[in-house]
Amino acid sequence: MIFVEGNTYEEKFTVSEHTHANFVALFRDNNPLHCNETFAISKGFKGKVMHGNILNGFLSYFIGECLPTKNVIIHSQEIQFKNPVYLNDELLFTAVIIGIYESVNAVEFKYDFKTASKIVAKGKIQIGILL
Amino acid sequence: MERSEIIQKINAIFIETLDNDDIIITEKSNANDVEEWDSLTHIQLVVAIEKAFKIRFTSKEIQSWANVGEMISNMQEKGI
């Protein structure tokens, strides 16, 4: 097994205008909270709140591209959104292996996304190692 | 732990993992008896059982089971 319990991985992500615009174009979620600055501010936010599921795209990148093997598949994932993410926020992503199940070639990670000041999302992902 | 106690705990894991409140697992149950028990949910079941009982199986052990009863025997060999 190339994974070891306790191993930690870090990546940096930015929710850029390009990412936001492409997410909207792909999935057509034009909700004003995400796309209208005035509306979002009127609801008490600092600006447009980025779609939480953009973070799921970053998770996909992490699992698909950043692990020591490409032979992986996501079995399940959960995410809790704790604080809003705004345009051009820089996020530090940290994932820690919390469980290895060699019997079924599965690995479980706990992860979070942080801005400089707070956790904006956290959750768990279970992946399978393809033989 | 008594076998009946183990199977009760396992039954709760099956209900939760397979999201089906009607599941009743017996020692003779296998994947053919439970509609939602497929190759992917099998992984989730094994992971959930390993977590709940704080044990680890090997792939060889898993492949040797013909039914839930054989898994329970395997668990008892591990001190459950």
Side-chain angles (χ1 to χ4, degrees):
Chain A
M1 178 65 83
I2 55 174
F3 295 99
V4 177
E5 197 163 331
N7 273 8
T8 301
Y9 302 82
E10 285 189 351
E11 292 292 326
K12 286 182 178 170
F13 298 106
T14 302
V15 185
S16 66
E17 182 65 58
H18 176 76
T19 301
H20 180 245
N22 277 293
F23 187 93
V24 171
L26 280 169
F27 300 109
R28 297 180 293 153
D29 179 1
N30 286 288
N31 185 285
L33 182 66
H34 305 308
C35 300
N36 183 318
E37 190 88 358
T38 307
F39 177 89
I41 290 170
S42 78
K43 297 297 178 190
F45 295 97
K46 287 193 304 184
K48 289 184 291 187
V49 177
M50 297 297 96
H51 303 74
N53 282 315
I54 289 174
L55 303 188
N56 281 328
F58 295 148
L59 284 172
S60 181
Y61 168 82
F62 167 67
I63 297 298
E65 299 290 342
C66 302
L67 295 177
T69 175
K70 294 285 193 285
N71 295 321
V72 292
I73 186 169
I74 296 174
H75 287 158
S76 63
Q77 69 183 60
E78 63 181 62
I79 190 165
Q80 298 170 30
F81 300 112
K82 298 294 186 185
N83 282 290
V85 174
Y86 298 105
L87 196 62
N88 295 319
D89 271 356
E90 291 181 357
L91 305 176
L92 175 63
F93 170 80
T94 306
V96 184
I97 295 178
I98 58 167
I100 293 179
Y101 306 92
E102 293 200 56
S103 57
V104 287
N105 294 305
V107 179
E108 187 178 31
F109 296 85
K110 183 174 73 174
Y111 69 84
D112 59 45
F113 289 93
K114 294 188 201 80
T115 60
S117 59
K118 57 184 71 168
I119 290 178
V120 293
K122 66 178 188 176
K124 290 179 182 174
I125 303 184
Q126 184 186 302
I127 64 165
I129 312 300
L130 303 172
L131 300 177
Chain B
M1 197 180 284
E2 295 293 326
R3 291 179 79 87
S4 59
E5 200 180 339
I6 296 173
I7 206 159
Q8 200 176 356
K9 202 167 171 182
I10 287 172
N11 204 85
I13 291 171
F14 271 70
I15 286 172
E16 171 72 21
T17 304
L18 304 181
D19 196 22
N20 180 347
D21 292 340
D22 299 328
I23 288 175
I24 298 171
I25 294 297
T26 69
E27 296 225 7
K28 291 184 176 167
S29 297
N30 62 34
N32 295 325
D33 304 320
V34 182
E35 191 184 342
E36 299 91 343
W37 188 350
D38 56 27
S39 58
L40 187 55
T41 54
H42 179 76
I43 293 170
Q44 305 298 359
L45 287 167
V46 170
V47 168
I49 290 166
E50 288 191 13
K51 275 186 191 176
F53 290 91
K54 296 183 171 55
I55 53 173
R56 288 293 186 270
F57 298 116
T58 65
S59 56
K60 197 174 172 184
E61 286 170 334
I62 288 177
Q63 285 161 21
S64 72
W65 305 332
N67 53 39
V68 169
E70 291 187 10
M71 179 182 72
I72 291 172
S73 298
N74 195 170
M75 292 168 73
Q76 291 191 311
E77 286 165 15
K78 292 176 186 292
I80 299 301

